[in-house]
Amino acid sequence: MAIGVKLVNKEEASPEVKQIFEQIEKQMGFVPPTMQAMANKPEYLKLFLQKSQVAMGPGKIDSKTKLFVALTVSILNNCEMCITAYTKKLKEAGVTDEEIVELLSVIDLMSGLNHFNNGLMIKPTE
């Protein structure tokens, strides 16, 4: 549930938003609350979906790597909604528990190293 804004549901959505929601449902099986909140400003929802297609669609980086990056950023930003979604997508892509734990071990290692270097103000030498 969103705090401070109404989540737009399909029944009360404008015809334009209903059409967008149908596309989202076709792709994801449901309309996430995040997108229901964005629907209060349909132009922003459309822009977000376009950005998502460009960033997460076919490119030089394979889709599994993009999902690992998305999960990593979601973990670092403590976004429960996205952690849940990207973990599910990775599992659907065939990623194992061992791979997810390995990813978390890298996040743990690098986060600790970053905090160590930042705490001591260690700067690059080159």
Side-chain angles (χ1 to χ4, degrees):
M1 172 175 290
I3 304 295
V5 299
K6 184 175 193 240
L7 299 181
V8 177
N9 64 47
K10 192 173 180 180
E11 294 74 38
E12 64 191 11
S14 69
E16 176 187 31
V17 171
K18 278 184 187 175
Q19 185 178 13
I20 296 168
F21 279 3
E22 286 172 7
Q23 293 170 344
I24 294 167
E25 282 179 335
K26 198 185 236 181
Q27 184 180 3
M28 301 180 75
F30 71 107
V31 179
T34 304
M35 294 174 194
Q36 290 178 304
M38 288 179 184
N40 285 290
K41 185 165 178 65
E43 302 82 17
Y44 181 70
L45 175 59
K46 285 192 279 186
L47 178 63
F48 171 79
L49 294 171
Q50 289 172 342
K51 260 174 62 169
S52 294
Q53 289 172 352
V54 170
M56 298 304 285
K60 301 290 183 189
I61 300 171
D62 66 276
S63 62
K64 190 171 158 183
T65 301
K66 289 180 180 188
L67 290 172
F68 274 126
V69 171
L71 177 58
T72 300
V73 172
S74 299
I75 290 168
L76 294 175
N77 286 319
N78 197 30
C79 180
E80 186 176 342
M81 174 73 75
C82 295
I83 292 168
T84 301
Y86 289 115
T87 300
K88 181 180 178 197
K89 285 180 181 272
L90 281 164
K91 292 285 198 158
E92 289 169 355
V95 170
T96 65
D97 290 347
E98 185 178 358
E99 289 174 293
I100 290 174
V101 171
E102 186 173 333
L103 172 68
L104 290 167
S105 72
V106 173
I107 294 170
D108 176 51
L109 173 69
M110 296 313 301
S111 294
L113 181 61
N114 291 174
H115 290 299
F116 186 90
N117 284 332
N118 287 340
L120 295 175
M121 300 181 70
I122 297 173
K123 305 292 182 198
T125 56
E126 292 181 25

